[in-house]
Amino acid sequence: MAALTLRKVDHSGLKVGQASTIILLIVAFVLNSTLLVAFVALAQLLGALNVPFAPYRLFYQNVLKPSGLVKPNVIDDNPEPHRFAFLVGSIFNGVATLALLANVPTVAWVLVGIVIALANLNFWLNICVGCLMYYQLNRLGVPGFTQAPISST
Amino acid sequence: MIERLQIAIGLAIIGFLAYQLLRRYHIHKTAAASSHDPILSDLKPGVPAIIYFTTPGCVPCVTQQQPALMRLQTELGEDIQVLQIDASENSEVADRWGVFSAPTTFILDPKWQVRDVNYGVADAPKLIRQLNALRVNH
């Protein structure tokens, strides 16, 4: 499928989302907090839906960016794969929340652990597994996955 | 809660150490064979090199790694040479160098011994730091 117009994506905003996810999920594990896992699932879902009141976005736009703690890193990119990655994380954390509510903590914390591992992979090494999944689904022609990988030419 | 905190810290330390060990093993393994690798035959001798593995579908390669390498070449000119390899077209080479993701960049000293490796995007300041470390070590 052909790529649509390339847009700008602030990768610092994405990094803030990944770092927040890692920290909050570790805190959730330490405190054994179902509520915090549910909050991360919701925050990721709102990030995936790209709503203006998504918690990670608000934190970055209103706290970190104005304070100069995090500088913008705007580059040409497709935002959809990153949103899809958020959605995958949200689903994992959503199922983990349900598992905690159903008193199946092992399953829940394994799922949370997977999200922490993938977020670390993305944060430290820029390897976005959700994005790789998105582009693979695009290659397979799955409806809704409209953005093709960016060409170097 | 303390027990869970200990588990979290323990896992973080294990993860960090495992990553560092993997990285050091990878550098050690490729360093032994890199200087004789036929892919380096086109490089100028005596000049540090960066071997950059990419794939056609690698988005961060196009949006981040290539601009970083271009910036590096602009800044360092003749003091650095970059060899770009398409890992999907040269899968044997990628296997030989232990490449499992793109982008991956190897830092080679003037004798073409592997001194460092970056999994994922390495920005220009990081690459410059790694190249400067070569000068310090020689």
Side-chain angles (χ1 to χ4, degrees), chain A residues 26 117 120, chain B residues 5-23:
Chain A
I26 289 172
N120 267 294
Chain B
L5 185 62
Q6 286 171 336
I7 291 170
I9 292 170
L11 287 173
I13 291 170
I14 289 168
F16 177 76
L17 290 177
Y19 172 69
Q20 290 300 332
L21 278 173
L22 171 80
R23 204 166 149 271

Side-chain angles (χ1 to χ4, degrees), chain A residues 12 27 32 34 74 81 86 96 99 112 117 122-123 125 129 131 142:
Chain A
S12 292
V27 172
N32 197 16
T34 306
V74 182
F86 267 125
V112 166
N122 204 348
F123 183 82
L125 302 178
V129 175
C131 303
V142 177

Side-chain angles (χ1 to χ4, degrees), chain A:
Chain A
M1 285 193 184
L4 301 177
T5 315
L6 204 61
R7 284 139 297 159
K8 300 284 183 189
V9 175
D10 188 348
H11 276 239
S12 292
L14 298 175
K15 293 279 179 203
V16 167
Q18 292 147 18
S20 305
T21 297
I22 294 164
I23 292 166
L24 289 173
L25 289 179
I26 289 172
V27 172
F29 173 73
V30 171
L31 299 178
N32 197 16
S33 170
T34 306
L35 197 64
L36 205 45
V37 177
F39 172 77
V40 175
L42 183 65
Q44 288 181 312
L45 179 64
L46 294 174
L49 296 173
N50 197 29
V51 294
F53 52 87
Y56 293 162
R57 174 186 273 206
L58 290 175
F59 182 50
Y60 173 62
Q61 297 279 9
N62 299 317
V63 179
L64 295 177
K65 206 166 144 183
S67 70
L69 283 169
V70 180
K71 289 176 185 167
N73 177 25
V74 182
I75 54 178
D76 289 336
D77 204 350
N78 293 317
E80 289 82 0
H82 299 290
R83 288 185 204 142
F84 179 70
F86 267 125
L87 181 66
V88 173
S90 170
I91 292 168
F92 270 61
N93 284 322
V95 175
T97 304
L98 294 176
L100 284 169
L101 291 171
N103 206 20
V104 195
T106 308
V107 172
W109 295 121
V110 166
L111 289 171
V112 166
I114 291 169
V115 176
I116 292 172
L118 294 180
N120 267 294
L121 210 56
N122 204 348
F123 183 82
W124 296 106
L125 302 178
N126 295 300
I127 296 171
C128 174
V129 175
C131 303
L132 295 175
M133 283 169 63
Y134 181 98
Y135 286 123
Q136 204 57 43
L137 293 167
N138 168 268
R139 280 193 198 99
L140 294 170
V142 177
F145 295 85
T146 54
Q147 301 299 316
I150 299 159
S151 163
S152 57
T153 51

Side-chain angles (χ1 to χ4, degrees), chain B residues 44 68 90:
Chain B
K44 285 181 285 181
N90 301 281

